[in-house]
Amino acid sequence: MNNKLRNKIIDIIVKSGEGHIPSSFSILDIIFFLYKSVLKNISQLDDVNRDYFVLSKGHGAAALYVVLNEMGLLTDDELDSYGSNISNLGGHPDMTKISHIEASTGSLGHGFPTAMGIAFGLKIRNLNDNCVYVLLGDGECHEGTIWETANIASNNNLNNLVALVDWNKSAQQLMPNENLFEKWKAFGWNPIICNGHSENDFEKTFQEVEISRKSSKKPQVIILDTIKGKGVSFVEGHGKWHHKIPNKDELLLIRKELNEKT
């Protein structure tokens, strides 16, 4: 299924000439798992008991769009229009144009404070069964707003907030000595490291997170050990593929790898 969705990401990005293929590939598995197995009443926007998901790493929007489409929350025509002049689906998600987008993101460091605000608001209203999940990039975790938000969330015991960090090693290009686990722990969060492409690991990790949420006042963070460009050997990693659109020959090779693994 996930390689089927990776093909859809390729479809819309190549057609529009806009998008971040490797970043979308690295977060696809966790977003699909969230919508399939974790998020409560996510399709019912007027349900007071629903969960929330914020894609703070907005440039990976193509992954979110194909999952929303797969879950029946975005039509085929809407997905097919991605990146066109008449489309509501741009390279970054816009909450004013798409019903199931909780925050307009793209400027890194903005989505996390928004998610924290939602979680804080739920606490004020004593809606303690709701949970807010927010997906960050590892490079994004060097923005000052991330740690200001982490500090506020910890000090206000927002155990209804779960951060997910796409640790695809992008940040190591400039910050080779990063230690995300110890950083989050130092800010009063409960961190856990998880294989970011394994459904079995997701199931175990989210069970642990749910137990920890109920027994601790600390917010939770899952550090997802991922591969940028996951699924296509010559796209995996960094460099020129960050915002590159494949040519015809490259497209054939991408399709071949994805279809062989499907």
Side-chain angles (χ1 to χ4, degrees):
M1 169 59 73
N2 289 7
N3 280 334
K4 170 191 167 185
L5 296 179
R6 283 182 171 85
N7 266 311
K8 283 191 176 184
I9 290 171
I10 292 295
D11 287 340
I12 63 174
I13 287 180
V14 169
K15 180 180 178 182
S16 67
E18 165 56 34
H20 293 77
I21 293 171
S23 298
S24 298
F25 277 17
S26 70
I27 62 176
L28 175 67
D29 297 327
I30 186 59
I31 293 179
F32 182 60
F33 183 82
L34 282 171
Y35 275 85
K36 179 172 69 77
S37 304
V38 177
L39 297 169
K40 183 178 70 215
N41 301 332
I42 193 67
S43 64
Q44 303 167 38
L45 297 178
D46 58 349
D47 191 331
V48 71
N49 294 314
R50 74 182 179 93
D51 288 336
Y52 297 78
F53 173 68
V54 173
L55 179 64
S56 193
K57 180 182 174 172
H59 60 282
L64 177 56
Y65 296 155
V66 300
V67 170
L68 290 176
N69 173 250
E70 187 65 29
M71 303 304 294
L73 303 177
L74 203 63
T75 69
D76 291 343
D77 287 342
E78 286 174 315
L79 184 65
D80 189 58
S81 74
Y82 167 82
S84 71
N85 291 334
I86 60 170
S87 180
N88 290 330
L89 306 184
H92 298 90
D94 186 340
M95 67 180 296
T96 68
K97 296 180 178 180
I98 313 166
S99 297
H100 293 278
I101 300 297
E102 305 289 356
S104 301
T105 59
S107 295
L108 295 179
H110 288 190
F112 188 37
T114 300
M116 185 273 293
I118 296 171
F120 209 162
L122 291 169
K123 283 285 188 182
I124 290 170
R125 296 164 64 197
N126 291 317
L127 295 173
N128 296 313
D129 292 331
N130 309 68
C131 192
V132 182
Y133 299 86
V134 54
L135 181 53
L136 315 169
D138 58 353
E140 183 179 11
C141 288
H142 292 290
E143 296 281 355
T145 51
I146 299 301
W147 302 110
E148 293 169 6
T149 301
N151 195 18
I152 293 170
S154 177
N155 272 274
N156 287 278
N157 300 320
L158 299 185
N159 61 347
N160 60 341
L161 180 62
V162 179
L164 305 135
V165 179
D166 178 31
W167 185 34
N168 66 17
K169 322 307 180 295
S170 290
Q172 289 183 7
Q173 296 174 91
L174 291 176
M175 299 285 191
N177 297 316
E178 65 177 352
N179 191 331
L180 289 172
F181 186 94
E182 293 300 331
K183 277 186 179 179
W184 285 98
K185 188 176 180 181
F187 274 81
W189 286 57
N190 282 330
I192 184 169
I193 296 177
C194 170
N195 182 335
H197 302 298
S198 167
E199 186 164 336
N200 287 336
D201 274 27
F202 293 159
E203 289 174 354
K204 294 175 186 176
T205 299
F206 279 94
Q207 287 174 5
E208 290 181 39
V209 165
E210 193 59 25
I211 292 170
S212 184
R213 280 203 329 110
K214 291 177 179 178
S215 62
S216 170
K217 293 182 179 181
K218 293 182 178 181
Q220 316 293 312
V221 55
I222 302 172
I223 300 169
L224 299 156
D225 190 356
T226 60
I227 298 171
K228 191 169 183 177
K230 171 67 175 177
V232 179
S233 59
F234 62 91
V235 176
E236 290 180 354
H238 311 288
K240 67 178 184 179
W241 278 100
H242 179 71
H243 198 202
K244 175 180 167 61
I245 307 300
N247 59 37
K248 290 182 179 180
D249 291 337
E250 292 164 338
L251 181 58
L252 288 173
L253 292 172
I254 290 172
R255 297 285 195 207
K256 184 174 185 294
E257 282 203 36
L258 290 177
N259 292 335
E260 285 175 349
K261 294 172 182 176
T262 300

